Amino acid sequence: VQLQASGGGLVQPGGSLRLACAVSGGILDHWSIGWFRQAPGKEREGFSCISARDGRTLNADSVKDRFTITRDFDKNTVYLQMNSLKPEDTAVYYCAAGAMCTTKVDEWFYWGQGTQVTVSS
């Protein structure tokens, strides 16, 4: 399974971005897909996930009501719509595939290469 994350960039506070995680070599109803981010000097943290089996989504409190995770079976792609972005959202964003939604980084099997999101005026 290979994952390709894209869509990052520079955005002003309060702005929006949509990240995409294209999955190849596997199908979305077999793999849960999670989004993680890592800011300079900090550990990688999981904050959003969509479950393979039933499409249930989980979001951390830090992004709840601002970020939305969805999946498109036709394109085999998972999207992360990020609204009301804040400077503290600045990080490299990664998507990962695993058996279930979990915040434990070492329980995810496959990782995308990361895409930089910078929120700054």
Side-chain angles (χ1 to χ4, degrees), residues 26-42:
I27 55 177
L28 293 182
D29 58 357
H30 287 180
W31 295 98
S32 295
I33 302 297
W35 283 99
F36 294 75
R37 61 187 181 183
Q38 188 166 19
K42 295 188 177 181

Side-chain angles (χ1 to χ4, degrees), residues 11 18 26-27 33 39-40 43 56 59 62 64 75 92 97-98 117:
V11 63
R18 189 178 76 156
I27 55 177
I33 302 297
E43 294 185 352
R56 188 167 64 103
N59 291 288
S62 59
K64 199 171 292 184
K75 296 182 179 179
V92 178
V117 172

Side-chain angles (χ1 to χ4, degrees), residues 1 9 11 15 18 42 50 60 68 75 80 85-87 90 92 104 106 109:
V1 178
V11 63
R18 189 178 76 156
K42 295 188 177 181
I50 186 162
T68 303
K75 296 182 179 179
L80 183 71
L85 283 161
K86 306 175 181 179
T90 296
V92 178
K104 297 179 180 179
D106 58 2
F109 299 147

Side-chain angles (χ1 to χ4, degrees), residues 40-55:
K42 295 188 177 181
E43 294 185 352
R44 190 172 297 188
E45 63 165 352
F47 62 88
S48 189
C49 181
I50 186 162
S51 175
R53 185 180 61 184
D54 55 12

Side-chain angles (χ1 to χ4, degrees), residues 66-85:
R66 297 190 300 125
F67 292 7
T68 303
I69 185 171
T70 57
R71 62 184 179 180
D72 184 330
F73 286 107
D74 290 339
K75 296 182 179 179
N76 221 38
T77 298
V78 171
Y79 297 98
L80 183 71
Q81 178 66 42
M82 305 188 295
N83 299 327
S84 302
L85 283 161

